[in-house]
Structure formats: C-alpha cells, structure tokens
Amino acid sequence: MSDITAPVTPARARSPWRSRLSRWDQKGSPYAFVSPFFILFGIFGAFPLLYTFWVSLHSWPLLGEHTFTGLDNYQKLLQDPQFWNAAKNTLGLFLVSTVPQYVLALWLAVTLNRKIMARTLFRVGVVIPNITSVAAVTLIFSMIFAKGFGLANWIIGWFGLEAVDWTAHTWSSWLAISMMVDWRWTGYNALIFLAAMQAISSELYEAAAIDGATRTRQFWSITLPMLRPTLLFTTITSIIGGVQLFTEPLLFAPGAGAIQGGTLRQFQTLTMYLIENGFTRFEFGYAGAVAWMIFLLVLIISLINILLVRRISGAD
C-alpha cells in the first residue's frame, strides 16, 4: 500500500497592517499605559507650576494691567524680612515637630511589630488621628493651649508654674503647633515603618540572637539600616508637608489677623505668607515668587537629605 501524503498548504502571509499593529502594540502599549499619569501631571502639575513662574515675572494686581518686571519680585523677596521670618518659622516648626515624631513613630513601630495582645486593634488605633479632620484637631488643641482655661496651663499649674500665653511667644507657639502635627502624623509614619520592618527577613534576627545580640543591638545593627529607604521616603514627604504647613498655625489663633501668624508673626509659615500676599494684598506676582521659593526650598532640602542618606549608606 502506498503512503498518501497530504498536500502542504503554504503559510498565509501576514498582512502589512497586522504587522504594523503588532509592532505598535509591543513598542507603544507601555507608553499608553503610563500616559494617563503624565497627562494629568502636565495639566494639574506642570502647567500650574510654569504658569505661576510666568505670573511671578509680572506686577500682577487684581485689577489693572499686568506689567512684565522680570526678576524684580525675586529681588524684592530676598530683601523682605517678613519672608525670611516666615522661612525661619517654617523650618523651625519642621525641625521641632519632625525629630520627636520620628522617635515616637519608630518606638511605636517596634512595639507593634512584637507579639502583644490586641496587636491589630492597636495598629488600627494609631492611624485614627490621621483620618481626623485637621480643622477639628486644631480647634481642640487651641482649647487645650488656651491661656485662661486650657488643659496645658492647668497641668503646669500642678508644678507651681505660671500660666503661659501659648500664642504670644515664638517658642510656645512652635511647641503647641508641633504637638498638633505630631499627634496627626506619628501613627501614620509608624505604620509605614511597621510595614518596612515586616519585610525584613527574620533569619537576620535569629542569627543575631544566636550571636548574643540584644534587642537594642538588633535594632541599631539590623532594623535601622534596613529602614533607610523608608526613612528617606518619609523624610521627603515630611519635608513637603512641613514646608506647606498651613491649617494648624492658621487656626491656632483665629481672628482677623490669623493669616499673619500672631501679632509679631511669630508662627507665620511660608504658605501663610503666600496666601497673605495673594489673597489679602492681591499681589499675585509677588505671591507667585513666594510659591516658587517654596518649591525651590523643598527641592534643595530633599536633595540634601538624599545626598546625606547615600553618603551614610556608602560609609557603612
């Protein structure tokens, strides 16, 4: 019996438009997937930033003509003592609030990472202050630090100390506002640190325990070095939030001159100074210059922080 061989059908040639579509799908689809972010960022981020810079190059009153003045607003800004006072208050509040906040957040994260009773309940509880309305938190803390009937003065009265007018002095207003910020954000940072700690391999701690390392030694030699990327992230976000601090100091001493941050501008931040120039004095060109100085300040501090963390990591 002879073998019967089926005729071989030649492969169908691929149409040109299908080939082009396949190549476009391989090369262009990744850009299509990420394009929504860049489109939204360009509309709501890059364009307002560039337009603010264009406004800052003009004398831009609420009514009247807009006159191009070049860098005059920036020259005026660098010679403005009120701007430097606001910058000092902003950086001071950032330092006073961030340092104890990080210490408490790390302590909370280490505690919640251990096997304790109702651990899940405590983990949920530490983030509750962050979801509370910032206006409500500020109003409550304003009553706590009230001069005549505040809880803070009642407590220090136990030790025979005189009542403090918390809004009248730089140090006292910084302390009160920093406590508001810490109360809201300590739990948030603690959960971020906790998530990073749980990603650390338990074998490292087991090996350290076998070598006789105490929990304190394990924290400094294992936990803290492994948390450096997380510390960098939280520091940058804290810098952005700290430089843009607005609601807490604004509502700390409400009234007609609340935007000035006290009678002597003792707790006026850069964002408050921006709003004062833009929407009280209606000097939009000058306010645009303040906005760009805030942007540059955040950028410079963030770059310095990144360089410091990289140098510390390289040294180890």
Side-chain angles (χ1 to χ4, degrees):
M1 181 180 294
S2 61
D3 296 336
I4 301 175
T5 304
V8 179
T9 304
R12 181 179 297 178
R14 204 170 189 179
S15 61
W17 72 272
R18 288 181 178 273
S19 299
R20 289 195 297 268
L21 183 61
S22 177
R23 288 195 300 267
W24 180 90
D25 180 61
Q26 293 178 1
K27 297 181 179 179
S29 57
Y31 299 99
F33 291 143
V34 301
S35 62
F37 166 78
F38 291 99
I39 293 173
L40 292 176
F41 174 76
I43 296 174
F44 299 104
F47 173 74
L49 186 66
L50 296 176
Y51 187 72
T52 301
F53 179 71
W54 173 252
V55 172
S56 69
L57 301 178
H58 293 74
S59 175
W60 199 293
L62 179 64
L63 301 174
E65 297 182 356
H66 306 155
T67 306
F68 182 82
T69 58
L71 299 177
D72 289 352
N73 284 325
Y74 292 93
Q75 294 178 356
K76 178 183 176 183
L77 186 66
L78 295 176
Q79 299 174 357
D80 187 355
Q82 292 182 358
F83 167 77
W84 291 111
N85 175 71
K88 179 195 71 174
N89 292 333
T90 302
L91 294 177
L93 285 168
F94 168 73
L95 293 174
V96 172
S97 62
T98 302
V99 174
Q101 179 185 147
Y102 274 29
V103 174
L104 289 173
L106 284 170
W107 176 77
L108 277 174
V110 171
T111 303
L112 295 175
N113 197 33
R114 297 175 181 173
K115 294 181 179 180
I116 59 176
M117 294 182 59
R119 183 171 56 179
T120 303
L121 180 62
F122 285 116
R123 289 177 178 178
V124 174
V126 295
V127 80
I128 290 178
N130 185 253
I131 64 178
T132 308
S133 170
V134 60
V137 172
T138 306
L139 291 175
I140 292 173
F141 271 85
S142 298
M143 291 187 289
I144 292 175
F145 289 100
K147 179 181 179 181
F149 55 87
L151 179 63
N153 283 332
W154 180 60
I155 292 176
I156 65 176
W158 292 350
F159 304 94
L161 301 176
E162 296 183 358
V164 177
D165 188 356
W166 297 93
T167 63
H169 310 285
T170 300
W171 69 269
S172 58
S173 58
W174 284 13
L175 180 61
I177 295 171
S178 297
M179 290 186 67
M180 302 179 202
V181 177
D182 291 343
W183 190 82
R184 291 194 68 238
W185 292 103
T186 298
Y188 171 82
N189 286 325
L191 286 184
I192 294 179
F193 293 150
L194 176 61
M197 288 178 185
Q198 292 182 337
I200 302 174
S201 175
S202 60
E203 296 178 356
L204 296 175
Y205 293 102
E206 294 173 358
I210 293 174
D211 291 339
T214 61
R215 286 186 174 180
T216 303
R217 184 61 181 173
Q218 291 176 18
F219 173 79
W220 289 106
S221 299
I222 300 176
T223 305
L224 203 58
M226 298 295 288
L227 288 180
R228 279 174 184 157
T230 307
L231 288 170
L232 178 61
F233 167 75
T234 54
T235 302
I236 292 177
T237 55
S238 297
I239 291 171
I240 296 173
V243 174
Q244 296 178 348
L245 188 64
F246 176 73
T247 308
E248 289 88 346
L250 179 68
L251 298 180
F252 179 57
I259 198 65
Q260 296 179 1
T263 55
L264 300 176
R265 300 179 181 270
Q266 59 268 26
F267 54 91
Q268 185 185 48
T269 63
L270 284 172
T271 308
M272 295 171 68
Y273 188 61
L274 165 65
I275 299 299
E276 180 185 8
N277 282 278
F279 299 97
T280 302
R281 302 174 182 174
F282 300 109
E283 298 178 1
F284 296 109
Y286 194 72
V290 177
W292 258 85
M293 291 300 292
I294 294 175
F295 169 73
L296 293 177
L297 182 62
V298 171
L299 183 62
I300 292 172
I301 296 177
S302 299
L303 289 176
I304 292 174
N305 180 71
I306 292 173
L307 292 175
L308 288 176
V309 171
R310 286 182 176 178
R311 175 164 294 185
I312 293 173
S313 301
D316 293 342

